[in-house]
Amino acid sequence: MRQSKLFTKTKKESPEGEVSKNAELLIRGGFVHKEMSGVYSYLPLGLRVIKKIENIIREEMNGVGGQEILMSAFQPKENWEKTGRWESMDDLYKVPDSSGKEVALGPTHEEIVVPILKNYISSYKDFPIAIYQIQNKFRMELRAKSGLLRGREFIMKDMYSFHTNKEDFENFYEKMKGVYKSIFKRIGIGHLTYMTFASGGTFSKYSHEFQTITPVGEDTIYVDEGSSVAVNKEVFNDEILDQLGLDKAKMVEHRAIEVGNIFDLKTKYSVPFDLSYTDEKGEKNTVLMGCYGIGLGRLMGTVVEVLSDDKGIIWPASIAPFSIHLLSLGEDEAVLKEADKVYDALIKNNVEVLFDDRSGFSAGEKFADSDLLGIPLRVVVSARSIKEGGIELKKRTEEKGKIVSLNELLSLLAPKS
Ligand code: ATP
Ligand code: MG
């Protein structure tokens, strides 16, 4: 894409009243637009990142047999009354219409997915089932000051699994631990993300949170660096450490943000909706459930928090909006012609490239924008690079670039077989 055609522009100044680094950099780069506290629109560059994150998650969910659906954001009040959450959930948006009826604006989807499933399944032969969606959630968050980390409207992947017995559930749950590790690794924050024991709520002993270490995180966790096991401060006591075989003296305290979590729901939502099946003996049993969440916007904000420097964002290649940022410097005819040639060759080779072809910008301005946008590779065509026999290639993470030929660049980018 030609940057001269991109309707968004970078901003030098921090947005007023924005205290979080992720929102500041994402707004300055034109990735997102802030509508109000905790509510952001995704612009072309930001949407490209979200789509990449989405596709990594989608691949991993499909890999464990997940079936993708898209559930409604408007949800019937009756369903929420059935589970008791119409009253008990503090952050639920209750939306009235002109007839005086109210609906819930979905903060999560147990109240929808369970009745959907009930409509279709009846026999043990139907199981196991895993259903997921990637969709916008709404929560009346009081502390929406952390940019994309805590939204009032935010994108979540929520998966729900359904099982006839504990063993089947446990197998699937174990598999999901591996899947989650793989997702965070692929997104480029695996080295900072710990599976963390947390309290499991009313029914199960523990849930597992995936916590990424960052000073702006809202949670405090204790990490055993040897085993990479972590425990949330909320459940951190001698009895629990004992159960998990952890040595308190070796645990290191960190601030962290929860990028995902997995839960054993047991029969918490299947009972109120009587979600059941008939077993081999013709007897009726209640379905067991698990749920598995990841916040996509929170993930994007977390990557910005943990992988940026004083000049801007540093996207991991797997979720970068483009693979290459091509810059033409100066208004010299030969430079413009050469840069066009490089752009065409990259497009022809299916390389995702953002081409800063804007005129009237100094080299310094283009470099600063490039650092802010954080595309992993920068390719510069200038009078100097042409004189030195090619184009200058530099990684976002490196100080100095090197001169390469177009063919060398293309072979560097070609998928390794
Ligand atoms: P938190 O403790 O941070 O409020 P939660 O326990 O309420 O999170 P879940 O309801 O389990 O979170 O949601 C699943 C995932 O959705 C979380 O792990 C997180 O990544 C993301 N998420 C939850 N709330 C928000 C929010 N307000 N803004 C952005 N992402 C969120
Ligand atoms: Mg919450």
Side-chain angles (χ1 to χ4, degrees), residues 89 91 139 141 143 150 154 218 258 261 298:
M89 197 154 181
D91 48 6
R139 292 185 189 177
E141 299 279 4
R143 299 169 291 162
R150 185 168 295 284
F154 60 96
E218 291 176 11
E258 180 199 304
N261 62 19
R298 181 178 286 187

Side-chain angles (χ1 to χ4, degrees), residues 110-380:
E110 286 84 0
E111 276 79 357
I112 297 293
V113 74
V114 173
I116 289 179
L117 211 72
K118 188 176 163 63
N119 206 26
Y120 295 100
I121 53 138
S122 53
S123 154
Y124 69 94
K125 291 180 192 151
D126 295 326
F127 293 86
I129 299 168
I131 303 176
Y132 75 98
Q133 66 172 346
I134 297 168
Q135 190 254 14
N136 281 24
K137 301 280 187 270
F138 301 86
R139 292 185 189 177
M140 217 181 295
E141 299 279 4
L142 299 175
R143 299 169 291 162
K145 286 200 198 98
S146 324
L148 274 71
L149 302 187
R150 185 168 295 284
R152 292 194 283 157
E153 174 177 355
F154 60 96
I155 311 169
M156 194 201 285
K157 183 282 297 179
D158 39 331
M159 181 187 256
Y160 306 88
S161 73
F162 304 86
H163 311 269
T164 54
N165 61 71
K166 199 165 167 260
E167 194 192 350
D168 189 54
F169 164 75
E170 278 167 4
N171 280 337
F172 190 80
Y173 192 83
E174 282 308 307
K175 226 190 269 178
M176 288 304 285
K177 288 182 184 170
V179 164
Y180 267 46
K181 284 181 190 161
S182 162
I183 289 170
F184 300 123
K185 191 168 164 207
R186 289 179 65 183
I187 284 169
I189 54 168
H191 59 301
L192 295 168
T193 305
Y194 290 88
M195 192 172 81
T196 306
F197 285 85
S199 60
T202 345
F203 292 94
S204 47
K205 200 154 159 196
Y206 301 115
S207 69
H208 293 87
E209 299 171 341
F210 291 78
Q211 295 270 6
T212 306
I213 291 178
T214 159
V216 300
E218 291 176 11
D219 291 0
T220 301
I221 64 168
Y222 294 89
V223 178
D224 177 78
E225 272 150 8
S227 64
S228 287
V229 171
V231 181
N232 195 309
K233 188 177 185 177
E234 290 168 8
V235 294
F236 191 71
N237 62 41
D238 290 338
E239 190 194 331
I240 284 163
L241 291 179
D242 220 37
Q243 277 170 13
L244 300 176
L246 295 166
D247 177 359
K248 196 172 185 173
K250 288 194 187 142
M251 311 279 295
V252 184
E253 187 182 303
H254 292 282
R255 300 289 287 183
I257 179 86
E258 180 199 304
V259 285
N261 62 19
I262 59 177
F263 263 94
D264 178 0
L265 295 175
K266 297 203 163 57
T267 58
K268 186 173 176 182
Y269 298 98
S270 28
V271 166
F273 293 103
D274 187 28
L275 181 68
S276 52
Y277 66 95
T278 349
D279 67 16
E280 292 91 327
K281 294 178 222 131
E283 281 164 19
K284 192 178 144 182
N285 290 287
T286 307
V287 172
L288 301 178
M289 285 178 65
C291 77
Y292 316 83
I294 295 183
L296 280 76
R298 181 178 286 187
L299 250 183
M300 178 169 159
T302 300
V303 168
V304 174
E305 289 289 341
V306 300
L307 301 178
S308 55
D309 61 16
D310 54 355
K311 297 186 196 127
I313 303 169
I314 304 175
W315 294 112
S318 61
I319 62 165
F322 292 92
S323 314
I324 289 207
H325 200 181
L326 169 65
L327 278 55
S328 63
L329 300 188
E331 316 292 328
D332 189 331
E333 269 304 312
V335 168
L336 297 177
K337 225 172 117 193
E338 178 66 14
D340 270 339
K341 193 178 107 189
V342 173
Y343 181 60
D344 291 342
L346 290 170
I347 295 282
K348 215 169 121 202
N349 282 272
N350 297 319
V351 178
E352 292 181 298
V353 51
L354 179 66
F355 177 18
D356 190 349
D357 59 339
R358 297 173 301 169
S359 59
F361 285 79
S362 70
E365 285 169 319
K366 288 197 173 188
F367 289 153
D369 273 358
S370 185
D371 284 337
L372 174 62
L373 296 183
I375 295 166
L377 291 173
R378 190 184 79 186
V379 167
V380 172

Side-chain angles (χ1 to χ4, degrees), residues 69-124:
I69 62 172
L70 182 60
M71 290 181 269
S72 67
F74 269 155
Q75 307 187 356
K77 179 178 178 180
E78 301 78 68
N79 297 27
W80 284 82
E81 285 175 331
K82 257 193 187 146
T83 59
R85 291 209 285 185
W86 183 261
E87 291 307 329
S88 69
M89 197 154 181
D90 300 332
D91 48 6
L92 184 65
Y93 278 105
K94 300 170 179 177
V95 184
D97 67 18
S98 56
S99 73
K101 263 186 77 165
E102 286 178 302
V103 295
L105 208 44
T108 178
H109 277 72
E110 286 84 0
E111 276 79 357
I112 297 293
V113 74
V114 173
I116 289 179
L117 211 72
K118 188 176 163 63
N119 206 26
Y120 295 100
I121 53 138
S122 53
S123 154
Y124 69 94

